Amino acid sequence: MHPHPRFQWKDEAGIRAFIADKSFGTLILSTDAGVRVGQVPVVWMGDKLGLHLSRANALVPLLDGARCLLVVQGADAYVSPDWYDLDDQVPTWSYVSAELEGVARVTDDLGLMTIVDALSWEHERRLAPKAPWTRAKMSDGMFDKMCKAIIGFTIEVEAMRGTRKLHQNKTDEVRLRAADGIEAAGNVELAELVRRAKD
């Protein structure tokens, strides 16, 4: 994560909420054969993260019991030094990101189905007023059959780190000018985060 202390995000509840909102990350595992990476949907299962992978994914035979890193990326944007209206500035990048480190454990079939149900419930509720999809809408046996193509894991989170690089090292006036530039470039989400950024 970014070494500048003003950008370090230590609010664990805020990081958890951010991960719940994004629900997708990059899983990284160091192996004897080199670094392996997978893109995974994630959902909080109490203090653990639940995820699933295709059984054909190269991570699957290596992940159970392994220490891994999950990176979840939020909004990001290039920042032109012109937007600061200050002398002697350089281009930079603003972003929000979180890292979770922990040990992965394979689940049984019931654990996998619980993860799939939790993921679908989390995202279906965001689509309201659409009636939520549930596996009850599937033909008999089809959900179980399709789940045989994936495998569930949980991550026992041992460390959580975050970065919110949102110009907290600038005065409010300069930070707000950067936000205006970011918004004018089309990134409304990040501009709002920069406007609300405090130490």
Side-chain angles (χ1 to χ4, degrees):
M1 306 313 288
H2 197 287
H4 194 299
R6 300 285 288 276
F7 303 146
Q8 291 175 7
W9 187 16
K10 297 183 180 180
D11 172 15
E12 191 168 307
I15 295 171
R16 282 181 61 98
F18 166 74
I19 292 165
D21 179 59
K22 295 302 175 188
S23 299
F24 195 78
T26 302
L27 186 65
I28 303 164
L29 182 66
S30 178
T31 76
D32 292 341
V35 177
R36 298 292 179 261
V37 176
Q39 308 300 321
V40 293
V42 295
V43 65
W44 285 108
M45 314 287 291
D47 289 335
K48 297 178 182 179
L49 271 178
L51 61 98
H52 62 77
L53 289 162
S54 163
R55 285 186 182 270
N57 190 299
L59 285 170
V60 166
L62 307 170
L63 196 54
D64 188 31
R67 177 170 302 284
C68 58
L69 182 70
L70 179 82
V71 179
V72 177
Q73 293 291 117
D76 70 276
Y78 170 82
V79 178
S80 171
D82 294 334
W83 298 340
Y84 291 135
D85 196 23
L86 296 173
D87 293 334
D88 300 324
Q89 300 295 302
V90 295
T92 190
W93 211 271
S94 289
Y95 63 94
V96 178
S97 181
E99 292 179 357
L100 299 181
E101 188 177 339
V103 176
R105 302 281 180 209
V106 70
T107 68
D108 58 16
D109 290 344
L110 179 59
L112 168 63
M113 291 180 186
T114 301
I115 290 167
V116 173
D117 284 344
L119 275 164
S120 62
W121 177 86
E122 175 62 30
H123 292 279
E124 287 290 327
R125 73 180 181 85
R126 298 178 190 187
L127 301 177
K130 179 187 102 54
W133 176 91
T134 68
R135 58 177 147 135
K137 293 186 174 186
M138 298 182 75
S139 303
D140 285 347
M142 280 304 295
F143 181 80
D144 293 345
K145 181 179 178 182
M146 293 181 85
C147 277
K148 294 193 183 310
I150 59 176
I151 187 164
F153 290 90
T154 59
I155 298 176
E156 300 169 16
V157 179
E158 297 175 357
M160 190 179 301
R161 299 174 291 273
T163 295
R164 292 170 51 89
K165 187 174 180 285
L166 303 171
H167 309 281
Q168 304 95 313
N169 60 332
K170 304 291 187 191
T171 66
D172 286 349
E173 182 182 4
V174 171
R175 182 172 47 80
L176 294 175
R177 283 199 298 263
D180 290 344
I182 291 167
E183 183 171 9
N187 195 327
V188 175
E189 178 187 4
L190 188 66
E192 285 306 308
L193 291 173
V194 171
R195 287 188 181 104
R196 297 194 309 263
K198 295 294 179 187
D199 290 343

